[in-house]
Amino acid sequence: MTTVGSTTTARTASQAFPAGFVWGAATAAYQIEGAAHEDGRGPSIWDTFARRPGAVAGGDTGDVACDHYHRWREDIALMASLGLGAYRFSVSWPRVQPDGSGPVNPRGLDFYDRLVDGLLEAGITPYVTLYHWDLPQALEDAGGWTVRDTAYRFAEYAGVVHDRLADRADTWTTINEPWVASFLGYGAGVHAPGRTSADDAFRAAHHLMLAHGLAARRLREAGAERISLTLNLAPVLCPADAPGEADLAAVELVDSLLNRQFLDAALRGSYPDAVLERARRLGHVRDGDLAVIAQPIDSLGINYYNPTYVRAAPGAPENPAFPGSAGVAFPSVDLPTTAMGWPIAPDGLTELLLRLHRDHPGVPLVVTENGAAFDDVPGPDGRVADPARIGYLEGHLRAAHAALAAGVDLRGYLVWSLLDNFEWAEGYGKRFGIVYVDYADQRRLPKDSARWYAGVIARNGLEA
Ligand code: NCW
């Protein structure tokens, strides 16, 4: 029999996160830096794609973005005021190597040098991501991720950045969301470089994973001890009351393409059948590649936003983001959604973490992105009330906590995003930040969610 008093105590205790749990926030270079033509930076595929008529909402580009390239000091002060323990940012490859290979641009590297020093001075651990989608245009002109050479160029670049920062930064992520970079960039064509070939999407996915493996090996040889890969993962669910065989086949196909193509490759050195079939036809996967890809990693980064829902629907056209998905529908479900139209389903995070713990035991996990876009508007007093985002974050932190309580080795949680920023094909219209950015004057206004998150960090957990 539980008394009310002890229930309260238990609930209070149960909301605490483990000692040493890492709380942070994430951004990406092209989405926040701006300064697209400064200090020797070369063009990336996103500079090119954003100029393609109709590619990005409102014709927005990352030319100025949040002007973080010039305002990084202010942004670090903001992070410190929130009590962030870690800041995950990405390095712009074309800032460091304007042509993607060959000469290094010292002024580009200097920027990240200053940023890392500033973070350390503020007591914030830098989490460095080496690729968050801004491929140097010169490499795309030579075939981009559809050609094998790009993977070798990436490993060289990774070595250059690591050699410069490794004395102060020890947490390294090779690639962010290879599924998005390959299937939305080369298959569906809704992200840079805007190509629309299923075969190219599979080639790109493999070469991104090869790039991960080659870079991980290069960093390990240089002494790195905290190497990671970040995947966008999602439980694939069928909302039917009684799923039939065709529904289950749809689940398996989409799970293979979205999750297992990357998870199995990195953590088991294998590809699921749907990927192997394509590889046999295209011949781009060479003997030994999967062993390179499956380098030991020290943690897996998970970007979780929502589950993916599928069901069999004879006659449904192929979704170009999922080649081979003719006859599969991606139904909307009866759940509240964010401004992106993405359903809000925190339980999916618990389910995902439990699955990873079960299928890949021994791999520490970090939520490297989770968050939501809403249509935030500052009030006359400059306050941005965003209760829906607080609700989203709180729900997902409770979901993460449930996984921890079930024994999952989850080491940290990084909110996406620190700042409102350039939301890729959606432009500046979609605001994911816990800090509002007024693009007219670049003022930063911490939203209510930022203050709420600072409280979570301060007490290392949620209020009961
Ligand atoms: S677009 C995307 N995001 C957002 C982005 O700002 C960030 O850079 C990414 O790491 C927020 O987090 C990631 N992810 C792509 C999800 C695409 C879902 C489309 C599904 C099509 C079926």
Side-chain angles (χ1 to χ4, degrees):
M1 203 45 160
T2 321
T3 67
V4 173
S6 65
T7 304
T8 308
T9 312
R11 281 179 64 216
T12 307
S14 78
Q15 301 311 312
F17 279 65
F21 191 81
V22 176
W23 298 100
T27 63
Y30 189 75
Q31 295 183 271
I32 66 163
E33 285 181 1
H37 310 291
E38 260 176 75
D39 290 345
R41 175 186 175 281
S44 81
I45 55 174
W46 269 97
D47 295 292
T48 308
F49 184 69
R51 282 174 172 70
R52 187 192 278 191
V56 175
D60 293 347
T61 75
D63 283 0
V64 178
C66 307
D67 196 30
H68 171 76
Y69 190 76
H70 299 113
R71 294 170 193 264
W72 57 273
R73 277 190 198 83
E74 180 192 340
D75 292 337
I76 290 175
L78 202 49
M79 296 177 216
S81 75
L82 300 177
L84 298 192
Y87 172 56
R88 172 177 180 251
F89 62 93
S90 80
V91 174
S92 159
W93 186 351
R95 226 182 253 299
V96 171
Q97 267 184 315
D99 292 326
S101 59
V104 170
N105 172 31
R107 286 175 298 171
L109 272 179
D110 288 348
F111 171 68
Y112 298 105
D113 210 71
R114 293 193 290 277
L115 183 65
V116 165
D117 283 345
L119 288 166
L120 293 175
E121 272 165 35
I124 299 165
T125 304
Y127 277 37
V128 186
T129 295
L130 289 161
Y131 186 73
H132 199 127
W133 309 350
D134 44 358
L135 185 72
Q137 182 62 42
L139 292 185
E140 176 61 24
D141 295 342
W145 285 111
T146 69
V147 299
R148 197 173 170 88
D149 188 58
T150 302
Y152 291 91
R153 300 288 75 76
F154 176 74
E156 273 174 23
Y157 149 76
V160 166
V161 179
H162 182 263
D163 288 351
R164 177 67 180 266
L165 302 180
D167 57 335
R168 285 152 295 144
D170 69 357
T171 305
W172 295 86
T173 295
T174 53
I175 305 273
N176 179 72
E177 298 192 353
W179 180 82
V180 174
S182 52
F183 285 82
L184 297 189
Y186 290 83
V190 295
H191 276 198
R195 294 210 239 163
T196 51
S197 152
D199 288 349
D200 282 343
F202 281 98
R203 290 187 184 99
H206 179 66
H207 295 138
L208 279 153
M209 292 307 285
L210 186 62
H212 156 72
L214 293 167
R217 194 164 72 183
R218 168 73 176 73
L219 266 51
R220 189 72 76 197
E221 283 164 5
E225 291 177 358
R226 300 180 64 181
I227 300 173
S228 183
L229 164 72
T230 278
L231 302 176
N232 57 294
L233 299 171
V236 180
L237 307 173
C238 176
D241 287 337
E245 244 174 68
D247 292 312
L248 297 178
V251 168
E252 191 186 328
L253 172 71
V254 173
D255 185 53
S256 292
L257 297 178
L258 186 64
N259 299 318
R260 290 185 48 213
Q261 175 165 204
F262 304 97
L263 278 174
D264 290 7
L267 301 174
R268 292 185 169 147
S270 65
Y271 275 137
D273 288 346
V275 177
L276 283 179
E277 278 162 28
R278 192 71 68 143
R280 272 193 282 272
R281 188 159 67 66
L282 298 177
H284 64 294
V285 178
R286 297 195 187 162
D287 285 351
D289 282 2
L290 279 159
V292 173
I293 292 172
Q295 295 300 308
I297 53 175
D298 305 294
S299 67
L300 177 72
I302 298 150
N303 294 354
Y304 173 78
Y305 291 92
N306 50 261
T308 297
Y309 300 96
V310 301
R311 63 178 172 77
E318 175 173 283
N319 177 339
F322 295 100
S325 65
V328 176
F330 293 77
S332 44
V333 288
D334 190 19
L335 286 173
T337 56
T338 70
M340 296 289 283
W342 296 352
I344 301 175
D347 289 357
L349 178 57
T350 313
E351 184 177 337
L352 176 63
L353 291 169
L354 289 172
R355 167 188 174 172
L356 294 169
H357 177 67
R358 184 192 66 220
D359 291 355
H360 305 283
V363 182
L365 306 174
V366 176
V367 173
T368 40
E369 288 183 26
N370 174 246
F374 289 106
D375 296 327
D376 307 305
V377 183
D381 54 356
R383 179 179 154 212
V384 184
D386 59 341
R389 181 171 293 99
I390 293 174
Y392 181 99
L393 297 176
E394 177 166 0
H396 286 77
L397 286 176
R398 287 190 193 280
H401 192 275
L404 276 162
V408 173
D409 185 7
L410 178 67
R411 303 285 176 94
Y413 175 93
L414 312 180
V415 71
W416 183 270
S417 180
L418 177 70
L419 302 171
D420 290 339
N421 59 53
F422 176 80
E423 180 44 46
W424 307 113
E426 305 291 338
Y428 295 99
K430 297 287 182 273
R431 295 180 174 273
F432 271 93
I434 55 172
V435 174
Y436 184 91
V437 176
D438 184 339
Y439 295 109
D441 58 11
Q442 293 292 350
R443 249 181 341 143
R444 274 76 163 135
L445 302 172
K447 303 177 190 176
D448 283 359
S449 58
R451 283 181 275 274
W452 173 85
Y453 191 47
V456 171
I457 296 172
R459 76 176 82 83
N460 194 38
L462 298 160
E463 276 171 343

